[in-house]
Amino acid sequence: MELNSNSIVEITGQIEKLVTDRMDQIAITAHNLISIRTPEDTGQAQAGWNFTLNKIDTRTPPEPPKGTGRLPVQESEPDQRATKATDSYFLANSVDHVIYLNEGHSQKAPEKFIEIETAKAVDIVGGGAN
């Protein structure tokens, strides 16, 4: 095997592809788990998860009028896919009460459910150190 600058560039590209594929898998899994685990009443907190690449989306879904049912949970696909190892996924929720839900103020989810489900996503995908 000849090792030169071209082969190093090729190997680096292959590594970056592996990294971005793993990032995609972990981010999608985390979004699924967090969305499902978010306590629901009107569905506003569940529907409030924005899933983006390289920017934070702070949009908040409107609270549904009383008696009209729940808001739908957002799709578990980011607005774009990572192409570089320096890309970052953001799962953001600007619904005011999601902070209180994560602090354990609902009996429908444990305290720190966001952190728990994120760690679970890493374990499921196999992103931990071996």
Side-chain angles (χ1 to χ4, degrees):
M1 172 182 192
E2 182 179 348
L3 192 60
N4 58 36
S5 63
N6 290 336
S7 59
I8 297 295
V9 168
E10 183 179 333
I11 291 168
T12 302
Q14 292 170 358
I15 292 170
E16 187 160 52
K17 175 77 170 113
L18 291 171
V19 168
T20 57
D21 286 350
R22 183 66 55 93
M23 285 170 46
D24 289 345
Q25 294 169 5
I26 291 171
I28 290 168
T29 302
H31 183 259
N32 283 333
L33 293 173
I34 292 168
S35 294
I36 291 166
R37 180 58 95 167
T38 301
E40 60 180 278
D41 181 16
T42 65
Q44 185 185 29
Q46 272 189 333
W49 289 106
N50 298 310
F51 190 12
T52 54
L53 183 71
N54 295 328
K55 64 185 179 299
I56 298 175
D57 184 347
T58 59
R59 287 178 295 162
T60 303
E63 188 171 345
K66 298 278 186 222
T68 60
R70 296 182 50 252
L71 292 171
V73 175
Q74 297 297 314
E75 292 288 321
S76 288
E77 286 293 323
D79 63 336
Q80 302 176 57
R81 292 292 181 112
T83 58
K84 305 181 298 274
T86 56
D87 285 338
S88 296
Y89 282 112
F90 291 94
L91 284 80
N93 193 325
S94 295
V95 173
D96 290 339
H97 61 276
V98 80
I99 294 167
Y100 302 108
L101 296 174
N102 197 46
E103 290 176 347
H105 293 276
S106 171
Q107 294 183 3
K108 295 179 181 179
E111 181 179 350
K112 304 281 185 200
F113 75 91
I114 296 169
E115 292 83 349
I116 291 168
E117 299 305 323
T118 301
K120 193 181 296 181
V122 172
D123 287 344
I124 289 169
V125 174
N130 292 328

